[in-house]
Amino acid sequence: MTKPPTPPVLCPPIRVAALNARKPVRFDVQPDSAMRTQLAQDMGLIALRKFRFQGELRPLGKRDWEISATLGATVVQSCAVTLDPVTTRIDEPVLRRYLAELPDPTGTEVEMPEDDTQEILGTVIDPGAVALEALALALPAFPRADGAALPGAGVLSAAPAGAAPLEDARPKPFAALEGLREKLLRDTDKS
């Protein structure tokens, strides 16, 4: 059985026990060209031209911590329509709160909390992992090149080699059943 690939380490994780509860820790994550190439490959991008995650880890009360940062990146992806390269600039604020105690859910059904910035505080806080997660969430799901359009009126048509694609007139799979129903009704009326 093969292990899943280990995510790259952009910066060393910060041990919570070593943090000073009165002083924030500033960080500035800027991977070099080789690391950006590896990240692009891992994330299925054509290229990751720029990547910077800059901010601070600061105390939030007596036992909790907060990362407040800015993610800046320039990514190149394949257009969802033409497969041409599409360059996108990402500038996102990032906020994560690490709480020593999360409130327990109540009731029989548990829903996702509205505040998705909260996480349980562990023994380490990893700004690099937060940066990668923020980048993955900020990537356009369906990047589109300028002027890229679907053929026709925005409808894709595809057919196997040698077969004609279906026309816009939708096939009616129950039309034959409708005819059978009418025939049965006529036969019932005759009896």
Side-chain angles (χ1 to χ4, degrees):
M1 186 167 141
T2 60
K3 288 184 177 180
T6 322
V9 177
L10 296 179
C11 65
I14 301 167
R15 288 184 34 244
V16 173
L19 291 170
N20 181 342
R22 292 187 202 128
K23 185 177 176 185
V25 176
R26 288 178 177 70
F27 54 84
D28 190 356
V29 179
Q30 296 184 63
D32 62 13
S33 178
M35 179 63 81
R36 288 194 316 271
T37 300
Q38 180 64 44
L39 291 171
Q41 182 181 11
D42 291 348
M43 299 181 95
L45 305 172
I46 295 172
L48 180 56
R49 291 190 184 148
K50 295 179 184 175
F51 184 94
R52 185 173 192 182
F53 188 64
Q54 182 179 25
E56 67 181 14
L57 174 63
R58 57 182 171 231
L60 187 65
K62 290 184 179 184
R63 299 177 12 194
D64 303 328
W65 293 88
E66 174 181 83
I67 285 183
S68 178
T70 303
L71 169 69
T74 303
V75 298
V76 182
Q77 298 172 278
S78 295
C79 173
V81 177
T82 64
L83 300 180
D84 291 337
V86 178
T87 301
T88 305
R89 178 70 193 157
I90 296 171
D91 289 300
E92 293 279 326
V94 178
L95 181 67
R96 295 287 186 281
R97 292 187 178 103
Y98 297 91
L99 307 177
E101 293 182 23
L102 286 177
D104 288 330
T106 58
T108 56
E109 291 186 23
V110 178
E111 294 184 18
M112 293 295 293
E114 287 184 33
D115 187 357
D116 62 355
T117 64
Q118 296 180 350
E119 295 184 27
I120 190 75
L121 180 65
T123 58
V124 296
I125 296 174
D126 188 350
V130 173
L132 292 175
E133 179 184 282
L135 177 61
L137 291 171
L139 290 173
F142 300 101
R144 211 176 247 202
D146 291 338
L150 296 173
V155 178
L156 287 176
S157 61
L166 294 175
E167 297 299 321
D168 282 341
R170 302 263 188 245
K172 298 180 181 176
F174 297 106
L177 290 176
E178 181 65 26
L180 179 61
R181 180 178 168 262
E182 289 174 13
K183 182 180 182 291
L184 288 173
L185 288 174
R186 280 193 306 259
D187 290 348
T188 305
D189 288 343
K190 290 181 185 177
S191 348

